[in-house]
Amino acid sequence: MGKQVWRVVVAGGAAAVFTAVAAVPAGAAEGGVSFTRVQVNGGKPIVIGVSKEVAVPASFRMATTHKWKFPAVFLYRKGSGDRLWHAIETSDCIKVSSGVCDFNETMYFDPSVWDMHNSEAGAWKVGAEVHFKGGGGDTDDKGLTVHVKRNSRLTVNASPEP
């Protein structure tokens, strides 16, 4: 099997590919799913420039008895509708045991496709979610913070003018 690619085009309250759950609940396993071992960019800040795409690794473990589709981790601020714009590529289930899978994910932040503003620099929370086959899903706040930094350059010409 190949990788699953999901385009997430959300920020500033815009609609999302993931729309079943409106807010990120605290805690875990409210919807019959447990997310553990969540990691984004090895705990390092994500540095996004003004033109080049940045690929950020993430990984997580999901345990559930539900039939599911497209699990992912994401970055948000106020609620799950306030997400940082990016595309996601998630691996297929790496089976650990019955109902338990590990996933590797890559978050693609591309400022040439989605406008990235300086206001998007700063602390972002990490959430994890999955949608179930047939409807419904689960979204959890993972209690992690990821810092996003804007990488920009200022070029000046200090030579005298004629």
Side-chain angles (χ1 to χ4, degrees), residues 6-60:
W6 309 105
R7 293 287 177 188
V8 177
V9 285
V10 294
V17 171
F18 309 117
T19 57
V21 182
V24 177
E30 293 88 2
V33 178
S34 173
F35 295 99
T36 58
R37 299 184 180 198
V38 177
Q39 188 174 49
V40 176
N41 205 32
K44 298 178 289 190
I46 299 169
V47 180
I48 302 172
V50 295
S51 61
K52 293 183 181 176
E53 179 179 76
V54 176
V56 176
S59 60
F60 59 97

Side-chain angles (χ1 to χ4, degrees), residues 8 10-12 16 18 74-76 79-85 124 129:
V8 177
V10 294
F18 309 117
F74 59 93
L75 306 181
Y76 74 98
S80 65
D82 184 19
R83 299 185 188 194
L84 189 59
W85 291 66
W124 289 82
E129 70 183 343

Side-chain angles (χ1 to χ4, degrees), residues 7-146:
R7 293 287 177 188
V8 177
V9 285
V10 294
V17 171
F18 309 117
T19 57
V21 182
V24 177
E30 293 88 2
V33 178
S34 173
F35 295 99
T36 58
R37 299 184 180 198
V38 177
Q39 188 174 49
V40 176
N41 205 32
K44 298 178 289 190
I46 299 169
V47 180
I48 302 172
V50 295
S51 61
K52 293 183 181 176
E53 179 179 76
V54 176
V56 176
S59 60
F60 59 97
R61 177 169 285 176
M62 182 181 76
T64 185
T65 57
H66 295 288
K67 293 191 182 289
W68 52 269
K69 57 184 178 178
F70 55 87
V73 295
F74 59 93
L75 306 181
Y76 74 98
R77 281 197 171 148
K78 297 177 184 111
S80 65
D82 184 19
R83 299 185 188 194
L84 189 59
W85 291 66
H86 66 288
I88 299 173
E89 183 178 74
T90 303
S91 71
D92 288 330
C93 168
I94 302 165
K95 189 172 182 175
V96 175
S97 62
S98 179
V100 180
C101 295
D102 283 342
F103 294 92
N104 294 310
E105 178 177 302
T106 304
M107 299 174 169
Y108 295 97
F109 299 93
D110 191 344
S112 69
V113 174
W114 301 301
D115 289 335
M116 302 294 290
H117 303 283
N118 288 339
S119 62
E120 292 168 330
W124 289 82
K125 298 174 189 174
V126 178
E129 70 183 343
V130 64
H131 286 249
F132 301 137
K133 292 182 179 180
D138 189 16
T139 304
D140 292 330
D141 177 346
K142 295 317 303 165
L144 300 173
T145 300
V146 172

